[in-house]
Structure formats: C-alpha cells, structure tokens
Amino acid sequence: MFSDIFTLIDFLKYQKKIKRVFFFESSFIENHLAPYLYKNKNINETIIISLYKIQNNNLKKFKIFQVNKLFFLNLFFLLLKTKYCYSSTPDIDHSAFQRSVFKKTKYIYIQHSPVGLIRIFRDNALTNFDVVQVVNTFQKNDLINISKRKNKKIKAWQGKYLFLGDENNEQFSFNINQQERKKILIAPTWGTDFFHLNIHLTIKKNLNPSEYDIFIRPHYMSLLNNKNLISDLIKNNFQISKGKINFNQYDLLITDWSGLYIEFAKINRIKSILIETKDKILNDKFHEYKDDSIDTFARNKLGKILLTTQLDTIESQVKDIILNRNDYAKKIDKFFDSYFY
C-alpha cells in the first residue's frame, strides 16, 4: 500500500510534463497497445500506468507507474489531467477505470480484437469513450449503431489493426511448415462451454497422434475462473501454448467463438475450424441490435464450422483445409481487402 501512495504522489508531480497516458491492464493486451506507443515520437510526453510488472524492454523506455491496488488505480484516473488516455480496457466508469473529475482528458479505446463491438462487450462498455478505434467496416457500423441507441457522439477512428503489424513493422510473416507432422493450436475463448463439454479431449481423441502435434492455449479469463485448468491439461498430455503468441508456429487453428481465427486467417492465409459451442454473448441487450456484425459473417468466410456432434469428422476437415489452402487463401485475401482498413 505504501508503495502505491509514493507512486501516486510521484505521478501527480510528473503528469504536468506529459500529454498522454497508456493504461496497461494486463500482459494479455500488451502486444495490442505497444505498437501505438512505438509511434510516439516524443517519449517524454507519454507515460504508462500498469497493473503488472512490464518486462518489454522497448516499453521500459517510457516512464512507467505500476499500481498494485485497485483503490489507488481509481485515484490515478480520477486525478488525471493529461490530454489523452489510451486503453484497450472497456467498461470505463463501470470499474476502477474511471474518467477524471477534471474533465480535461479525451479517452481513446484501442482494439485488442477484430470481432464485433456489440455481442461480446457488456452494454455501455464503450459508451463513455470519446474515440473508439475501428479496424474493419463491421466495427464501424457497430459503433454507429451503439452511438445512435445510446444517444452518444462517439468518434470512430478508422485504423489498421497494428497487432498484426504494418508496412513498417511487420509483426508476423507466415512460413509454410514443410514437415509431415502438422502443428495444431486449440485456442477457445472464455464464457463458452468448451471446457465444460471436454471438447478439447474429444478433438485430441479424433486426431491421429502420429500426424499432428497438438497445442492448447486457454484464454487468460478461463485460467482465472479455473485454477486447476492448466494442471488438468498437462495431466491429459496437452502441450501448453503460453506467452506471446507466434502464429508462424502453427499450421492450423481450432477455436470456438474467439476472434483469434480472424487474425490467424490474415497472417497464415488459411481457414480455421470453428466449433459451434454455446454462443459467447456478454451484452444482455444484444438482441435489441440487428445481428449483422462480423461475428457471424466472418465465420462462414474464414472458417469451417463444426457442430459439437460432428467432432468425429474433425481430422477429415483438417486434411481438407490443408489440402485446399491455396484456394482458400485467395478468398481470404479478398475478404480482408474488402472489409479491413
């Protein structure tokens, strides 16, 4: 607690020198926010407020204020006077992440996923931001819809999804695996019944172990909600994918409602297998909106959908995707050229 008090005092003195704050809630969103810091030409005008110890040496070039207690995090934001605050954390004013009492700061939301803005965000999760980044036309339409229904004037910032890299800073570049054994990544989102139904075990049972190396990457929220998940996965002989994700390492992705398949398609130019688990809907007002978001549209364009009753066919679906990857790649390129900024 005392360290947070001294950090807060230091921050209140230091913020007079700066223009912008970046809020790093967890290491999960680090690779989504970091590219926007790198574009800052004047490091001395930008600081980071973090809830964890940042290890990235490039980020350590910026002044970092690490907070341990949510009470003090709340004070940081209530007393903020900087011109801009960037975050990939939604639900501003509905958590310790609050708008400043001084009303001088513009709040800018940076996307950490290319999926829709209605289905998986709680109602009012974005309504108190001044600017929301949109990385595709679907997100832009979602934001227009949200603004109208909430009677807000939220500005849409059409920007590239820099998590995937850009022309000057390419983060990923796919190299086709020429080895006979293919590497498959299972990466479900949280809030579905994927693990409850033991879908990962059924997938593993239906894939020939002599042909495939299977890795699994639970969502960090799944790990928070189930402290025994990792030990259970290891006990069932899964290889755990952790740390910074490397798309180049895998030949194919299996997920449920995670937006990771969109990122995987962009980088690897290949379809993913999408398991039709219980839909992930966090917005209790979702059905009041017209469902024309990217969440349903892209699934049919960038993935092959399997019902939970069709998992015995999963190996044939994997072989089809790998065999016809060149044909699928052309359609995937057309999709991103048509809908992404």
Side-chain angles (χ1 to χ4, degrees):
M1 184 178 78
F2 288 108
S3 64
D4 279 352
I5 293 173
F6 291 124
T7 302
L8 178 60
I9 293 171
D10 186 23
F11 165 75
L12 293 176
K13 295 177 181 177
Y14 195 88
Q15 76 164 331
K16 299 174 183 177
K17 308 175 184 178
I18 60 172
K19 289 184 178 179
R20 61 192 70 83
V21 165
F22 280 76
F23 173 39
F24 280 60
E25 179 187 17
S26 70
S27 58
F28 171 76
I29 53 87
E30 187 172 296
N31 293 324
H32 297 84
L33 284 176
Y36 298 92
L37 273 94
Y38 301 153
K39 288 181 174 294
N40 278 280
K41 295 180 180 179
N42 193 336
I43 292 177
N44 295 327
E45 292 184 347
T46 303
I47 65 169
I48 296 171
I49 297 177
S50 172
L51 271 174
Y52 67 100
K53 187 173 180 60
I54 292 176
Q55 302 296 328
N56 185 324
N57 287 329
N58 287 322
L59 293 178
K60 289 181 179 179
K61 296 175 183 176
F62 297 87
K63 177 74 171 177
I64 299 173
F65 294 89
Q66 183 186 338
V67 188
N68 299 303
K69 301 293 184 181
L70 292 179
F71 171 78
F72 286 97
L73 179 70
N74 186 226
L75 287 179
F76 266 78
F77 287 117
L78 289 175
L79 301 176
L80 193 65
K81 292 183 178 180
T82 59
K83 189 172 183 180
Y84 303 106
C85 178
Y86 294 82
S87 168
S88 195
T89 300
D91 295 304
I92 189 171
D93 284 342
H94 301 288
S95 65
F97 182 28
Q98 299 275 322
R99 292 176 67 100
S100 172
V101 296
F102 297 108
K103 304 184 185 305
K104 295 180 178 180
T105 306
K106 289 190 178 297
Y107 294 84
I108 301 163
Y109 183 82
I110 294 177
Q111 296 295 339
H112 62 256
S113 176
V115 299
L117 306 183
I118 297 173
R119 180 188 298 254
I120 67 165
F121 285 88
R122 283 179 282 272
D123 193 43
N124 293 318
L126 300 174
T127 54
N128 290 327
F129 284 91
D130 299 289
V131 179
V132 171
Q133 182 196 26
V134 291
V135 300
N136 54 58
T137 58
F138 295 94
Q139 287 188 344
K140 183 178 180 181
N141 290 335
D142 284 349
L143 189 64
I144 291 171
N145 202 351
I146 291 170
S147 296
K148 286 182 178 178
R149 292 185 69 86
K150 299 298 181 181
N151 196 25
K152 294 277 189 174
K153 294 182 179 180
I154 310 170
K155 183 177 179 181
W157 163 30
Q158 295 179 192
K160 288 185 178 294
Y161 190 41
L162 295 187
F163 172 69
L164 300 178
D166 61 14
E167 294 82 356
N168 302 315
N169 176 30
E170 188 162 343
Q171 190 165 344
F172 303 102
S173 57
F174 179 65
N175 298 313
I176 296 177
N177 177 13
Q178 302 296 339
Q179 299 177 2
E180 290 187 8
R181 292 178 64 85
K182 300 301 181 183
K183 293 184 177 180
I184 294 178
L185 176 64
I186 301 174
T189 189
W190 70 287
T192 70
D193 52 3
F194 187 92
F195 287 112
H196 178 72
L197 297 178
N198 289 320
I199 290 173
H200 55 302
L201 299 179
T202 307
I203 292 172
K204 192 170 185 288
K205 182 181 72 173
N206 285 290
L207 289 175
N208 189 338
S210 66
E211 294 186 36
Y212 306 102
D213 290 324
I214 302 174
F215 297 79
I216 193 162
R217 187 184 181 89
H219 193 281
Y220 82 102
M221 285 297 294
S222 297
L223 298 177
L224 286 176
N225 294 332
N226 183 354
K227 302 299 183 183
N228 298 319
L229 183 56
I230 287 292
S231 59
D232 289 343
L233 292 172
I234 293 174
K235 185 166 59 178
N236 284 288
N237 298 314
F238 280 97
Q239 301 181 71
I240 310 297
S241 168
K242 54 186 177 180
K244 182 179 178 180
I245 191 167
N246 182 357
F247 288 104
N248 302 330
Q249 185 178 346
Y250 306 104
D251 298 283
L252 190 130
L253 172 70
I254 300 173
T255 184
D256 49 3
W257 289 94
S258 169
L260 199 64
Y261 79 95
I262 301 175
E263 299 164 355
F264 199 82
K266 172 64 175 175
I267 297 303
N268 290 20
R269 302 176 68 231
I270 192 170
K271 284 193 172 187
S272 297
I273 292 179
L274 308 177
I275 311 299
E276 199 81 347
T277 57
K278 180 185 74 173
D279 200 347
K280 180 181 178 181
I281 300 176
L282 300 181
N283 186 351
D284 57 2
K285 303 289 180 64
F286 166 73
H287 296 292
E288 297 180 7
Y289 293 85
K290 184 180 178 181
D291 185 14
D292 56 358
S293 69
I294 193 172
D295 304 298
T296 51
F297 183 83
R299 285 175 75 81
N300 293 299
K301 303 292 184 182
L302 305 180
K304 298 195 75 172
I305 300 172
L306 277 186
L307 301 177
T308 56
T309 56
Q310 298 175 315
L311 293 177
D312 58 337
T313 69
I314 197 164
E315 184 163 339
S316 64
Q317 300 295 337
V318 169
K319 290 182 182 297
D320 174 78
I321 290 174
I322 293 174
L323 179 65
N324 296 295
R325 67 171 305 140
N326 290 333
D327 291 334
Y328 291 140
K330 296 174 184 176
K331 297 177 181 178
I332 289 169
D333 289 343
K334 184 177 179 181
F335 176 88
F336 284 98
D337 288 342
S338 299
Y339 300 111
F340 274 68
Y341 301 126

